[in-house]
Amino acid sequence: MNAAITQEELVRILDQALQEVTECTAGVCLHQGDQPLGEDLCTVHITFNKGFSTSLTLCADTSLLARMAQNSFHEDAVTPEDLEEFSKEYLNVLCGKVTGAMYRATQIPAHFGQPTFYHGRYEPEGQEIQFVLTYSDEHSKGAQLIHHVPCSSEDETALDEI
């Protein structure tokens, strides 16, 4: 995504999409800040496999994702399976909104694969962080939306030599 659009515009698109989708699907208001994440985390990762060679990772406090899932499902409690299902669908909806905005900005159609859910923090191989958007809710629970790009060939060479 970074070659067809400025990083500032991409940040704006991702931020707006995340805040809108989070409020609409989960009834939670997230605000950018520098809230550190806790120790109990979940991560959802998705790769754009057509149009852009990037990926997005959402890493969040498990309690924040659980509250979002509870609100979305209108339940007092959620199972681990519910949490995973919600997290993957949430990222799907978010990426749908992002690809629509990206198409309007660049006229490049993009497609993304299936999201993958992880307990803990996940770092995709062969990719490096371009930027991180950090959020918190009104209960000081945090989330990070991380934009990854392929590692430069110099970095891959260095990794191959290790």
Side-chain angles (χ1 to χ4, degrees):
M1 287 184 226
N2 57 328
I5 194 169
T6 66
Q7 182 172 321
E8 292 77 20
E9 181 66 7
L10 180 57
V11 165
R12 186 194 64 72
I13 288 170
L14 291 172
D15 177 55
Q16 183 176 5
L18 182 130
Q19 290 193 40
E20 288 176 8
V21 168
T22 304
E23 188 160 351
C24 288
T25 64
V28 173
C29 292
L30 294 177
H31 302 283
Q32 280 199 42
D34 54 2
Q35 175 71 32
L37 298 181
E39 293 183 19
D40 185 13
L41 303 173
C42 291
T43 304
V44 190
H45 177 78
I46 201 162
T47 299
F48 288 82
N49 50 24
K50 180 182 177 198
F52 302 105
S53 298
T54 63
S55 67
L56 289 175
T57 302
L58 176 73
C59 185
D61 287 317
T62 302
S63 59
L64 173 60
L65 287 175
R67 184 165 70 90
M68 291 168 59
Q70 289 167 344
N71 290 350
S72 180
F73 295 152
H74 305 288
E75 298 288 338
D76 291 335
V78 292
T79 65
E81 293 79 16
D82 291 338
L83 180 66
E84 180 174 344
E85 178 186 334
F86 168 80
S87 299
K88 289 161 68 172
E89 186 57 30
Y90 169 81
L91 194 58
N92 264 331
V93 172
L94 177 63
C95 287
K97 191 157 190 77
V98 168
T99 57
M102 291 299 299
Y103 181 76
R104 288 188 295 281
T106 67
Q107 300 303 303
I108 297 172
H111 297 278
F112 49 90
Q114 293 292 324
T116 309
F117 180 85
Y118 302 91
H119 291 282
R121 184 177 288 277
Y122 170 76
E123 301 282 337
E125 289 185 27
Q127 297 192 344
E128 60 189 12
I129 294 172
Q130 184 181 35
F131 60 83
V132 178
L133 302 177
T134 302
Y135 297 88
S136 63
D137 70 358
E138 68 275 15
H139 302 291
S140 297
K141 298 300 178 185
Q144 293 181 329
L145 184 62
I146 306 163
H147 183 254
H148 293 93
V149 295
C151 288
S152 65
S153 58
E154 292 174 11
D155 292 341
E156 289 175 7
T157 304
L159 289 174
D160 289 343
E161 293 174 357
I162 294 177

